[in-house]
Amino acid sequence: MLSTLMLDFFADPERFIQHASAAQWTQFLQQARQHGLSARFYYLLQRKGLLAQVPQQVQQHGLSAARYAEKQQQALFSELQQLEPLFAAAEYPCVLLKGAAYRCRALPVSYGRLFADIDMLVPAAQLRLTRDKLFFYGFQEVGLSDYDRAYYLNWSHQNPPLQHYQRGTVIDLHHHIYPTASARKIDISPIFSHAEAMPGSAFKLPKSAHLFIHAAVHMFYQEETHKLQKDLIDLNDLLLQVQQEQQLDFMLQQATLMTVQSAVANACQILAEVFANPAAQHCRGSMRLSKAQPLVCYLLLSMLRGDGIRAWLAQQLWFVRGHKLKMRWQVLLYHTLAKPAAAIQQWLRRTLHSDIKRR
């Protein structure tokens, strides 16, 4: 069973502080570091006026992480300034996604957030042109086998990651929010049509409703579980933001247009149960939202709260389900056989090459 200290804290920080023991604070700090949430918890305590109520060591840990996160966020804006001329000259939109969009919109979910990469969305027809332009800005694909690169280009929803040769910045260049190998067809045109210009910039930013929808799709239509708690905390903050901006009805309408009702319904079901999120409870009662999928929600809750065997089994089923959703069965069968075969072939080439060099 996963420890739910992180979820308990972000669901009700005041109650957590009142009942946490020294051992729990130690475990909490370890988990916060592991999930990249050290600065997030510090800013939440600061925003709610609770910093003085936590142990000094916890404050110092959070403050150090917050300073590091602030430097990262400054680096993000510096990188976007470097890229501004490229997209200012482009005749097509470039929409920032995920963490970059959260930060540029100054959403609470971005406070203390750490960045591994910058996610961008461009029209599919302009993907190759954008990649080629980024090459002349110093970005290149690194460390991929031929098979993995072909997988990205033919079946994924993005170009292989692009890394700057000097600054080390990584760009995930998307042409969709979901793999094209899937039988599920998601209409992303509303993200482009409703995106808002970032003041003083050529970059565009999605509406909060679309940021939540994207996060829900990422969680409930894929197989990843290594950031499960962090992703749930993000979803919770995003839905509260959607409610604050009075976009709940708009979000439900967009979920229908984009054909992702089940992802949004499942997200609302889980957020209502784990965080007692009032916006999620409102959406669950809406006639516009389809019913959540009981088995899917059960699997996710089992990974969070189940014992060893139950949680392990839920994780395996989630993994299989995610791959089944991401790929049509023909693609999945080919990928299952071809990827290990390609790895063996690459190993044999390296071995033969090494033998020849020794001779």
Side-chain angles (χ1 to χ4, degrees):
M1 180 174 68
L2 290 173
S3 172
T4 58
L5 285 176
M6 285 290 104
L7 298 179
D8 294 341
F9 173 84
F10 281 93
D12 191 345
E14 190 168 2
R15 184 176 185 276
F16 182 91
I17 290 170
Q18 290 172 354
H19 296 90
S21 65
Q24 286 176 319
W25 276 120
T26 299
Q27 188 179 4
F28 173 85
L29 291 178
Q30 291 172 346
Q31 289 187 17
R33 189 185 304 112
Q34 176 186 348
H35 294 288
L37 293 169
S38 298
R40 287 274 296 276
F41 85 71
Y42 179 84
Y43 281 112
L44 180 60
L45 290 172
Q46 188 179 62
R47 197 164 71 247
K48 290 184 174 290
L50 297 173
L51 267 177
Q53 299 181 35
V54 305
Q56 188 67 28
Q57 183 182 0
V58 176
Q59 293 184 41
Q60 292 173 349
H61 184 96
L63 177 60
S64 175
R67 287 172 175 165
Y68 177 73
E70 187 175 345
K71 289 181 181 178
Q72 267 210 337
Q73 291 171 2
Q74 291 170 355
L76 167 67
F77 284 111
S78 175
E79 195 64 45
L80 293 178
Q81 288 172 351
Q82 297 281 345
L83 295 169
E84 183 68 29
L86 188 161
F87 291 102
E91 298 179 353
Y92 53 87
C94 178
V95 182
L96 298 179
L97 298 174
K98 299 183 181 178
Y102 304 162
R103 179 63 263 176
C104 289
R105 293 200 55 202
L107 301 182
V109 69
S110 74
Y111 299 164
R113 189 181 189 87
L114 300 179
F115 296 89
D117 46 43
I118 300 175
D119 292 276
M120 299 178 175
L121 176 69
V122 297
Q126 309 301 333
L127 179 73
R128 183 171 181 175
L129 173 63
T130 307
R131 180 185 67 213
D132 292 345
K133 286 185 174 182
L134 284 169
F135 174 80
F136 285 99
Y137 271 70
F139 288 88
Q140 57 188 345
E141 300 167 9
V142 292
L144 281 179
S145 66
D146 292 342
Y147 179 85
D148 286 341
R149 186 172 190 275
Y151 175 88
Y152 269 104
L153 296 178
N154 297 326
W155 296 329
S156 182
H157 53 299
Q158 64 184 83
N159 194 79
L162 298 163
Q163 186 173 34
H164 196 273
Y165 77 102
Q166 283 183 324
R167 299 190 295 272
T169 307
V170 176
I171 291 178
D172 278 350
L173 184 63
H174 298 248
H175 60 87
H176 206 285
I177 65 169
Y178 198 62
T180 54
S182 173
R184 180 181 293 274
K185 301 305 177 187
I186 298 175
D187 181 8
I188 64 167
S189 61
I191 296 179
F192 285 111
S193 61
H194 289 282
E196 301 162 338
M198 185 162 69
S201 172
F203 291 107
K204 291 183 175 293
L205 302 172
K207 296 184 79 69
S208 293
H210 290 131
L211 291 173
F212 175 80
I213 288 172
H214 184 194
V217 166
H218 180 78
M219 171 166 282
F220 287 97
Y221 290 166
Q222 299 208 53
E223 81 288 353
E224 296 176 4
T225 58
H226 64 287
K227 298 189 297 179
L228 184 59
Q229 295 193 48
K230 179 179 177 296
D231 290 345
L232 274 176
I233 291 167
D234 285 351
L235 273 172
N236 188 57
D237 285 349
L238 286 169
L239 189 57
L240 291 175
Q241 182 67 32
V242 173
Q243 182 185 43
Q244 182 179 329
E245 296 179 20
Q246 300 182 344
Q247 291 184 20
L248 286 178
D249 289 340
F250 173 77
M251 180 194 73
L252 298 178
Q253 176 197 43
Q254 292 296 295
T256 301
L257 286 175
M258 296 172 68
T259 65
V260 293
Q261 302 97 314
S262 61
V264 171
N266 293 335
C268 289
Q269 177 69 27
I270 295 297
L271 294 179
E273 183 158 348
V274 174
F275 296 99
N277 185 307
Q281 292 167 347
H282 169 81
C283 291
R284 281 198 308 172
S286 172
M287 296 296 292
R288 292 188 179 185
L289 189 63
S290 60
K291 297 296 182 183
Q293 298 168 301
L295 179 57
V296 173
C297 294
Y298 174 79
L299 289 177
L300 193 145
L301 291 172
S302 294
M303 288 188 284
L304 289 175
R305 300 171 176 171
D307 57 24
I309 295 176
R310 178 181 161 200
W312 179 86
L313 182 59
Q315 188 172 13
Q316 306 316 305
L317 292 173
W318 190 270
F319 180 83
V320 173
R321 171 187 174 271
H323 275 288
K324 182 176 178 294
L325 288 174
K326 282 171 58 175
M327 303 181 198
R328 298 183 300 276
W329 71 266
Q330 305 97 316
V331 176
L332 181 58
L333 178 61
Y334 176 83
H335 177 65
T336 303
L337 298 173
K339 185 171 176 63
I344 292 170
Q345 186 179 43
Q346 189 175 21
W347 176 79
L348 287 172
R349 285 176 180 171
R350 286 199 304 267
T351 303
L352 289 172
H353 180 70
S354 178
D355 288 344
I356 291 171
K357 285 183 70 175
R358 282 198 297 267
R359 293 175 185 174

